Amino acid sequence: MASATVENYVKQILLLREASEAGTVAGKPSPVPLGKLSVRMNVSPGTVTTMAKNMARDGLLHYRTRAGVVLTPKGERLALQVLRKHRLVEMFLVSTLQFDMSEVHAEAELLEHAISEKLLARIDDFLGRPQFDPHGDAIPGADGKMPHRKLCLLSECAAGDRIRISRIQQQDDAFLRYVLDAGLMPGVALTIESADLPADAFSVVFDDGRRLTLGGKAASGIQTTAEVSRKNVEKPAPASAKPSPDKNLSGSILLNMNEIKLY
Amino acid sequence: MASATVENYVKQILLLREASEAGTVAGKPSPVPLGKLSVRMNVSPGTVTTMAKNMARDGLLHYRTRAGVVLTPKGERLALQVLRKHRLVEMFLVSTLQFDMSEVHAEAELLEHAISEKLLARIDDFLGRPQFDPHGDAIPGADGKMPHRKLCLLSECAAGDRIRISRIQQQDDAFLRYVLDAGLMPGVALTIESADLPADAFSVVFDDGRRLTLGGKAASGIQTTAEVSRKNVEKPAPASAKPSPDKNLSGSILLNMNEIKLY
DNA sequence: ATGTCAACTTTGATTCGTCAAAATTTAATT
DNA sequence: AATTAAATTTTGACGAATCAAAGTTGACAT
């Protein structure tokens, strides 16, 4: 039906709208300007105009000239499906094939267009229906619903807070590799030792005692969830509490986002 | 580099040449006629002519007008790589994601163009470097070499022969589904009870005592390897003898072609 | 040797996704 | 209001892959 190109357009429109809505009160969807889209898609502005017209003709979006595009329900459904494939594939590559967070994006970018509904369902089952991908991004459900958590920037935490890394927001290669090296992957629990705003410095302590200080830029690239304060959490992961991973062959339990929502 | 379309052309050329060489003494490669190719590719004859010229221009094949095409080493390398991806993906789908032999072809047809070298290597490792896919077709090695076995049509076996199903040659959906229902998947060992040529009927006995009679057409759609005669083989599979599947999570041992070459 | 026919090639056209460069519109500034 | 700058659209073109239909060729059968 839809070409890989069209799938990428709707996906990118969805992501841009989400980004522009971040922190906004839910309301009428403001159109995504074509300039933004042309940058994201790495194509010239004229190309996007042409595509917008074609996709409007195909009922995937509404195009108001010089204002931008808004996905129709049909377009949104397609976009969510593509995003679901992308993120489930990322999860699969990390938990089953030993990839790490920083390597999976490019692979998933290709695979997301080559996965049938049937295969997707098998992967989803195999992984035990994860709700978040290896970066902590929400995986749209088969019904199109986005799982939701109350997240908080690491840079907005206060000294003494007990938190869990839940999402790496800043997803450029360099930062992802830093996060991996530093052990700040989603799923990791830690305590905020100090949050020195004037100094723009945030110190955290891992459960194994390791300490680390981040600047404000890095700290705002990482999102966290509040952890129920619970002293001396020694057992690394309550394996018995898993939802239903009939066959969870995940290499690292920390990278399975299923774990996160259990706390 | 090469488009999915071009990958499909070289793959199909390789398969057609292999098919036409079946049973022939290895010699100078005779060109694949474009008519055959146009049928395989499901495109009009003119399209194939155009593509042949372009691919010749790109050094993937030699095109002699009105004679046909022969892959260059470069084209052959590409074709083998695509075939390797296709067959490893099929193996993966069957042994890890619970697909069966009859479902994987279409999936692999898409995925083979969306798999990076790195991902391919991970899949190969994950599966323990299988040499044959779920239908028993040889998986080209990373070095481009084809694993080889001495196969024999089930229809050419004699009464009393102890054999193992090794390849399903006839791969249309209906036959594959029959083979699955009948339990004639590659990896299964059996004994030829009778081979009645005038009656065109072949009876086989499974180790569990089940009996089955096949007509000649079906019996020639199935290839076998001679089994070292060894009475009362009760232990289903000597798990310890596996080559090096660091992580062989295969659902069904019978479907992992690694097993076959061990006997 | 010649005519026939199947196989192949050519031709002209189409669709998709893209570009560069010129034209237009809108919004902001003066 | 007039000017300017930024964003967007239009235009004309192109490469890849395809088709249908018309034209060509060559091998075989007479």
Side-chain angles (χ1 to χ4, degrees):
Chain A
M1 192 79 278
S3 67
T5 305
V6 165
E7 289 189 351
N8 281 329
Y9 274 92
V10 292
K11 182 183 66 173
Q12 233 42 84
I13 293 165
L14 183 79
L15 291 174
L16 282 170
R17 192 205 54 194
E18 260 176 19
S20 82
E21 271 176 2
T24 304
V25 208
K28 49 267 137 190
S30 62
V32 171
L34 297 198
K36 294 262 174 62
L37 194 48
S38 115
V39 171
R40 277 296 195 97
M41 293 294 301
N42 255 294
V43 296
S44 70
T47 300
V48 177
T49 302
T50 309
M51 285 302 287
K53 284 180 189 168
N54 294 336
M55 292 168 69
R57 185 238 301 136
D58 297 344
L60 292 168
L61 46 75
H62 298 295
Y63 167 45
R64 284 222 341 279
T65 190
R66 239 158 266 265
V69 291
V70 178
L71 292 177
T72 59
K74 177 179 171 187
E76 178 133 1
R77 247 178 286 127
L78 179 58
L80 283 167
Q81 208 199 246
V82 175
L83 202 58
R84 175 168 159 80
K85 286 179 184 174
H86 182 99
R87 292 181 175 168
L88 271 173
V89 165
E90 287 192 340
M91 197 64 209
F92 185 73
L93 294 177
V94 167
S95 64
T96 306
L97 293 180
Q98 318 291 332
F99 280 78
D100 73 48
M101 228 192 346
S102 74
E103 306 172 301
V104 290
H105 188 79
E107 301 283 349
E109 207 62 28
L110 278 181
L111 289 167
E112 66 188 2
H113 309 296
I115 303 241
S116 72
E117 287 307 297
K118 191 201 255 173
L119 175 51
L120 187 69
R122 296 290 171 98
I123 293 174
D124 196 26
D125 286 356
F126 181 82
L127 295 173
R129 309 219 153 73
Q131 304 210 50
F132 300 95
D133 80 8
H135 311 99
D137 291 318
I139 299 174
D143 57 2
K145 291 227 168 55
M146 279 291 201
H148 188 61
R149 297 170 294 184
K150 47 270 137 286
L151 294 173
C152 177
L153 291 183
L154 180 49
S155 58
E156 288 167 347
C157 294
D161 285 0
R162 174 84 188 147
I163 55 101
R164 187 174 289 268
I165 309 281
S166 292
R167 178 166 180 246
I168 311 304
Q169 190 163 31
Q170 188 184 323
Q171 300 189 356
D172 54 289
D173 276 24
F175 192 66
L176 288 179
R177 245 169 285 127
Y178 162 70
V179 161
L180 284 166
D181 289 352
L184 292 167
M185 293 85 70
V188 170
L190 25 85
T191 306
I192 308 293
E193 188 176 49
S194 68
D196 187 341
L197 296 182
D200 193 42
F202 300 83
S203 294
V204 301
V205 190
F206 293 86
D207 287 352
D208 66 5
R210 246 180 78 243
R211 300 172 71 266
L212 203 68
T213 302
L214 299 169
K217 179 138 162 285
S220 15
I222 297 175
Q223 290 178 317
T224 69
T225 44
E227 188 73 345
V228 189
S229 188
R230 183 208 287 200
K231 293 295 169 190
N232 285 355
V233 180
E234 284 305 280
K235 45 220 149 169
S240 59
K242 279 194 236 155
S244 73
D246 303 69
K247 275 200 155 196
N248 194 325
L249 304 152
S250 166
S252 160
I253 215 75
L254 287 176
L255 288 164
N256 188 327
M257 289 306 107
N258 274 322
E259 304 309 321
I260 283 178
K261 68 180 170 72
L262 294 176
Y263 290 92
Chain B
M1 194 78 280
S3 66
T5 305
V6 165
E7 289 189 351
N8 281 329
Y9 274 91
V10 293
K11 182 183 65 173
Q12 233 42 86
I13 293 165
L14 183 81
L15 291 174
L16 283 170
R17 193 205 54 195
E18 260 176 18
S20 82
E21 272 174 2
T24 304
V25 210
K28 50 267 137 189
S30 62
V32 171
L34 297 199
K36 294 262 175 62
L37 194 48
S38 112
V39 171
R40 277 298 194 95
M41 294 293 303
N42 255 295
V43 296
S44 71
T47 302
V48 177
T49 303
T50 310
M51 284 302 286
K53 286 180 188 168
N54 294 336
M55 290 167 70
R57 186 238 300 137
D58 297 344
L60 292 169
L61 46 75
H62 298 296
Y63 167 46
R64 286 221 341 280
T65 188
R66 239 158 265 267
V69 291
V70 178
L71 292 177
T72 59
K74 177 179 170 187
E76 178 134 0
R77 246 176 287 127
L78 179 58
L80 283 167
Q81 207 200 245
V82 176
L83 203 58
R84 176 167 157 79
K85 286 179 185 174
H86 181 99
R87 292 181 175 168
L88 272 173
V89 164
E90 287 191 342
M91 196 64 209
F92 185 74
L93 294 176
V94 167
S95 65
T96 307
L97 293 180
Q98 319 291 332
F99 279 78
D100 73 48
M101 230 191 346
S102 74
E103 306 172 302
V104 291
H105 187 80
E107 302 281 349
E109 207 62 27
L110 278 182
L111 288 167
E112 66 188 4
H113 309 296
I115 301 239
S116 72
E117 287 307 297
K118 189 200 254 173
L119 175 51
L120 186 69
R122 296 289 171 98
I123 292 174
D124 196 26
D125 285 356
F126 182 82
L127 295 172
R129 308 220 153 73
Q131 303 208 52
F132 300 95
D133 80 8
H135 312 98
D137 290 318
I139 299 174
D143 58 2
K145 291 227 168 53
M146 279 290 201
H148 188 62
R149 295 170 296 183
K150 46 272 140 282
L151 294 173
C152 180
L153 291 182
L154 180 48
S155 57
E156 289 165 347
C157 294
D161 285 0
R162 173 84 188 146
I163 54 100
R164 188 175 290 267
I165 309 280
S166 291
R167 177 165 180 246
I168 310 304
Q169 191 162 31
Q170 190 184 321
Q171 300 190 357
D172 54 290
D173 276 24
F175 192 65
L176 288 179
R177 243 168 287 129
Y178 162 70
V179 160
L180 285 166
D181 288 352
L184 292 167
M185 294 84 71
V188 170
L190 27 84
T191 305
I192 309 292
E193 187 175 48
S194 69
D196 187 341
L197 296 182
D200 193 42
F202 301 82
S203 294
V204 301
V205 190
F206 293 86
D207 287 352
D208 65 5
R210 246 179 78 242
R211 300 170 71 267
L212 204 66
T213 302
L214 298 170
K217 178 139 161 286
S220 16
I222 297 177
Q223 290 178 317
T224 68
T225 45
E227 189 72 344
V228 189
S229 187
R230 184 208 286 202
K231 295 290 171 192
N232 286 354
V233 181
E234 284 306 281
K235 44 217 150 173
S240 59
K242 280 193 236 153
S244 72
D246 303 71
K247 275 202 154 195
N248 195 324
L249 304 152
S250 166
S252 160
I253 216 73
L254 286 175
L255 289 165
N256 187 329
M257 290 306 105
N258 274 322
E259 303 309 322
I260 283 178
K261 69 180 169 71
L262 293 176
Y263 289 92

